[in-house]
Amino acid sequence: MSDTRHSADFWFDPLCPWAWMTSRWMGEVEQVRPVDVTWHPFSLAVLNEGRDLPDDYRAMLDRGWGPARVVTAARELHGQEAVKPLYDAIGTAIHPGGTKDYAEAIRIGLEGAGLPADLARFADTDEYDEQMRASTQQALDLVGDDVGTPVVAVDGVAFFGPVVTPAPKGEAAGKLWDGCVLVANTPGFYELKRTRDADPQFD
């Protein structure tokens, strides 16, 4: 284990269960490794504009503009420090909480994060879409557009993933982080992948 302090940038769509799993891992990493994490909104709806998608996935994305919009609005109006608490609260409602009503998840999230309830109005407006699109594009500029979420940049080198379930805890989380640092610092490294055979395991 190195004492070198690293930086991480984490892009998430609040709807994505795999981003949620990885964010739980990243929270564990913050406890056991010297790392500074910056959290960024990402919109899967923006990413998939104009793509031919299954009807059920398209319907989910069409309903899913709201949470990413509200997180973006919170960042613009209340600062970067509002992003992670709001993501945690909305994500808890959607994923382990099982809330399918995204307006309700936003309401719960704003209350849980201690943010004004009237931020919910931004779910149905495009007022901060330019900023949301810019945040999404920032990730894609680093990692390419054949990905989804999560996108994690380690010291400026970005990857899709890690995709993991259940989220490692304690030193196991730190060891996975050490591997991410290793591959990020390996010139020419691009990808490790295998087919998923498990669903996200929330706890």
Side-chain angles (χ1 to χ4, degrees), residues 23-72:
S23 72
R24 301 310 90 186
W25 162 74
M26 193 76 249
E28 290 285 318
V29 173
E30 290 181 287
Q31 304 305 311
V32 297
R33 294 293 187 270
V35 56
D36 299 309
V37 185
T38 304
W39 300 83
H40 306 273
F42 184 107
S43 172
L44 290 171
V46 169
L47 174 67
N48 286 287
E49 281 180 320
R51 294 183 178 180
D52 185 18
L53 299 170
D55 290 343
D56 57 345
Y57 188 61
R58 172 61 65 193
M60 185 272 291
L61 292 180
D62 287 346
R63 294 191 305 113
W65 286 84
R69 281 173 163 167
V70 171
V71 171
T72 303

Side-chain angles (χ1 to χ4, degrees), residues 111-136:
E111 181 178 349
L115 290 165
D118 67 356
L119 282 173
R121 72 186 188 276
F122 292 105
D124 298 316
T125 77
D126 61 2
E127 185 168 345
Y128 291 106
D129 278 13
E130 181 179 351
Q131 291 87 339
M132 184 176 69
R133 289 176 181 276
S135 184
T136 300

Side-chain angles (χ1 to χ4, degrees), residues 164-195:
V164 61
T165 188
K169 294 178 171 60
E171 186 58 20
K175 288 180 178 179
L176 178 55
W177 170 254
D178 295 340
C180 292
V181 172
L182 176 63
V183 298
N185 285 279
T186 301
F189 179 88
Y190 291 101
E191 185 175 14
L192 281 172
K193 188 175 177 70
R194 63 176 176 164
T195 299

